[in-house]
Amino acid sequence: EMDRPNAQSGTFSGSVTFGGWALDSTSGIGIATVQILVDGVFVGNATYGGNRQDVCAVPAFANAAGCPNVGWNVSLDTTLLVNGSHVLEVRPISSSGQEATASSAFTVFNEP
């Protein structure tokens, strides 16, 4: 899941931090890595393991592997992107190799 960017996000400029959470609710092994892609291009791995008590308080997720340390975040330098719309993709990969992808559009505007 992505907390930022989301549908209510405004325009981004400069260095920004995007974040959310990911958990493995099926294998019980946990998340090994969270890959970040912008416009389909891999840009790096997010930092994973942030405390997300709010997510793990949800009964369906309470016993998920890694809870409550299921938060992720990534810093992105938007000056490396052209002004306009882009798509952030988050690809959590479990320790057993299962993966999923979530995406969200965001807009960049940096002064020339």
Side-chain angles (χ1 to χ4, degrees):
E1 284 290 319
M2 274 186 258
D3 295 330
R4 183 174 190 224
N6 60 46
Q8 290 76 40
S9 295
T11 300
F12 295 98
S13 63
S15 182
V16 298
T17 300
F18 293 146
W21 55 273
L23 52 78
D24 176 6
S25 61
T26 56
S27 76
I29 297 172
I31 300 295
T33 189
V34 177
Q35 296 180 344
I36 303 297
L37 297 89
V38 174
D39 300 330
V41 177
F42 176 76
V43 295
N45 291 325
T47 301
Y48 182 73
N51 188 304
R52 290 299 304 262
Q53 291 283 351
D54 59 323
V55 173
C56 294
V58 175
F61 302 143
N63 295 320
C67 266
N69 301 316
V70 296
W72 63 265
N73 65 63
V74 63
S75 292
L76 181 68
D77 181 358
T78 68
T79 65
L80 301 175
L81 302 172
V82 298
N83 289 337
S85 295
H86 298 276
V87 175
L88 179 77
E89 293 177 75
V90 178
R91 186 175 297 150
I93 302 173
S94 74
S95 297
S96 63
Q98 295 175 313
E99 61 183 66
T101 301
S103 63
S104 182
F106 67 101
T107 302
V108 167
F109 182 79
N110 289 290
E111 295 290 332

